[in-house]
Amino acid sequence: MDGGNQSIVSEFVLLGLGHSWDLQLLLFMIFLTLYLVIVTGNTVIMTLIITDPHLHSPMYFFLANLSFVDMWLSSNTTPKMIADFLRENKTISFAGCMSQIFFSHFIAGLEMVILVIMAYDRYVAICKPLHYSTVMSLHRCMWLVVAAWTVGFVHAMSQIVVIVKLPFCGPRKIDSFFCDRPLVINLACMDSHKLKVLMNVDCGVVAITCFILLLISYTYILLTICQNSKTGASKALSTCTAHITVVVLFFGPCIFIYVWPLNITWMDKFLAVFYSVFTPLLNPAIYTLRNKEMKNAIKRFRSYYMDFKGNN
């Protein structure tokens, strides 16, 4: 490890998702379209929540944060992947590679905690409605978000401070479209088995802790819903179903990529694409299509825009 502080490898070669030029063009058009939809969809959600007074509540405050993180999640790797579809030599600098690893774990840890906070918010709203305004005050909501960013940053630092010091002296080919942490560790000029186990444990502690907290929250929520009247239970269940769907979509690929590695190249690539592209794409759709308040906010925004346009 001492001799590895000065890396001989200055850049890595990304093998991408395919080798055929026709396939590359097709993937370029598909992922460019998906990325534009991701940015547009999440921007619309954040804009609606910021501008619509009806959405100025803790639940939508956390949803705005989730939309921002989702957009950041996709932007960490997708633009580079899209640009590489049109390049013959798909290289990434050592610093760029380390940045992708750092931000992928920063965002993952941050989003996990935000999902836990959103579950806690729904738990208080459904199980302790009389205390909701006191418990979920603006001050506490701000501190919860700060805590989420802190956990994400600490988790990312625990990964990158080890990886950046590894001795990389070749080979330098990464069989993926971004610098995936397990694949980068495999390129180190050392026996990395124990290190990979340690890093997986680090990821596992964060992921499993958040998953258990989510499980506890939604168990209490569902038990409370079963005891409530049908009208209130139906609305609460609709909201929680959207949350649970997002949790499954996010944690599923994470568990298979980092906590329970499959070591199947095509499966790892599929899960990585699903995690970085389809999860940020589906989240806005789930929260807008299944949420009555969001749909009403879109109608109000459209009506306001049409009135403004008509007056001018």
Side-chain angles (χ1 to χ4, degrees), residues 13-69:
V13 178
L14 301 172
L15 299 184
L17 297 178
H19 302 288
S20 165
W21 178 246
D22 292 336
L23 177 61
Q24 299 276 343
L25 286 176
L26 176 62
L27 292 176
F28 170 80
M29 291 185 289
I30 291 173
F31 285 106
L32 177 60
T33 302
L34 292 177
Y35 181 66
L36 292 175
V37 172
I38 289 168
V39 173
T40 303
N42 284 292
T43 301
V44 167
I45 288 179
M46 289 187 290
T47 302
L48 288 173
I49 293 172
I50 292 170
T51 59
D52 194 325
H54 295 86
L55 301 180
H56 290 176
S57 66
M59 183 177 81
Y60 294 106
F61 171 70
F62 297 134
L63 178 56
N65 278 273
L66 181 66
S67 292
F68 174 75
V69 174

Side-chain angles (χ1 to χ4, degrees), residues 14-299:
L14 301 172
L15 299 184
L17 297 178
H19 302 288
S20 165
W21 178 246
D22 292 336
L23 177 61
Q24 299 276 343
L25 286 176
L26 176 62
L27 292 176
F28 170 80
M29 291 185 289
I30 291 173
F31 285 106
L32 177 60
T33 302
L34 292 177
Y35 181 66
L36 292 175
V37 172
I38 289 168
V39 173
T40 303
N42 284 292
T43 301
V44 167
I45 288 179
M46 289 187 290
T47 302
L48 288 173
I49 293 172
I50 292 170
T51 59
D52 194 325
H54 295 86
L55 301 180
H56 290 176
S57 66
M59 183 177 81
Y60 294 106
F61 171 70
F62 297 134
L63 178 56
N65 278 273
L66 181 66
S67 292
F68 174 75
V69 174
D70 275 336
M71 194 161 58
W72 190 15
L73 169 65
S74 184
S75 298
N76 183 45
T77 56
T78 308
K80 169 67 176 169
M81 175 181 66
I82 293 170
D84 281 346
F85 286 135
L86 303 179
R87 293 174 183 164
E88 186 174 350
N89 296 319
K90 302 173 176 60
T91 60
I92 184 170
S93 67
F94 182 83
C97 185
M98 294 301 110
S99 295
Q100 281 194 339
I101 294 173
F102 174 80
F103 284 114
S104 63
H105 286 273
F106 189 175
I107 298 163
L110 171 57
E111 181 149 350
M112 286 180 189
V113 180
I114 287 179
L115 289 172
V116 172
I117 292 171
M118 293 178 74
Y120 175 70
D121 171 72
R122 291 300 84 203
Y123 162 75
V124 177
I126 295 169
C127 301
K128 301 180 184 295
L130 298 178
H131 303 284
Y132 182 74
S133 58
T134 304
V135 175
M136 300 305 295
S137 63
L138 177 60
H139 184 262
R140 177 163 294 183
C141 290
M142 293 293 291
W143 274 110
L144 286 171
V145 170
V146 169
W149 282 78
T150 303
V151 170
F153 179 77
V154 171
H155 171 62
M157 286 299 296
S158 69
Q159 297 277 316
I160 201 65
V161 293
V162 176
I163 297 173
V164 77
K165 293 182 180 180
L166 292 177
F168 295 104
C169 52
R172 59 194 184 100
K173 292 183 179 180
I174 300 173
D175 193 4
S176 185
F177 62 92
F178 77 110
C179 285
D180 198 3
R181 187 259 296 163
L183 299 180
V184 173
I185 292 179
N186 286 339
L187 300 181
C189 303
M190 56 175 285
D191 182 4
S192 59
H193 176 71
K194 291 182 179 179
L195 178 61
K196 284 189 287 187
V197 172
L198 181 64
M199 302 296 259
N200 284 338
V201 168
D202 182 23
C203 288
V205 168
V206 177
I208 292 172
T209 300
C210 290
F211 191 75
I212 290 173
L213 291 173
L214 285 164
L215 196 62
I216 292 171
S217 297
Y218 285 117
T219 299
Y220 274 105
I221 289 170
L222 293 174
L223 289 174
T224 303
I225 287 173
C226 291
Q227 299 170 359
N228 283 347
S229 63
K230 290 185 178 180
T231 305
S234 176
K235 183 178 179 181
L237 187 60
S238 177
T239 303
C240 289
T241 302
H243 286 225
I244 293 170
T245 304
V246 169
V247 167
V248 172
L249 288 173
F250 182 80
F251 275 86
C254 275
I255 289 172
F256 281 108
I257 292 172
Y258 296 111
V259 182
W260 185 21
L262 295 176
N263 294 321
I264 304 173
T265 302
W266 70 266
M267 180 63 77
D268 287 341
K269 288 184 180 181
F270 170 78
L271 291 172
V273 169
F274 190 91
Y275 169 72
S276 60
V277 177
F278 288 101
T279 299
L281 176 69
L282 292 172
N283 283 2
I286 291 168
Y287 280 114
T288 52
L289 295 177
R290 295 188 59 88
N291 190 300
K292 186 177 179 181
E293 284 297 323
M294 287 298 298
K295 287 189 282 189
N296 290 337
I298 292 173
K299 291 177 183 177

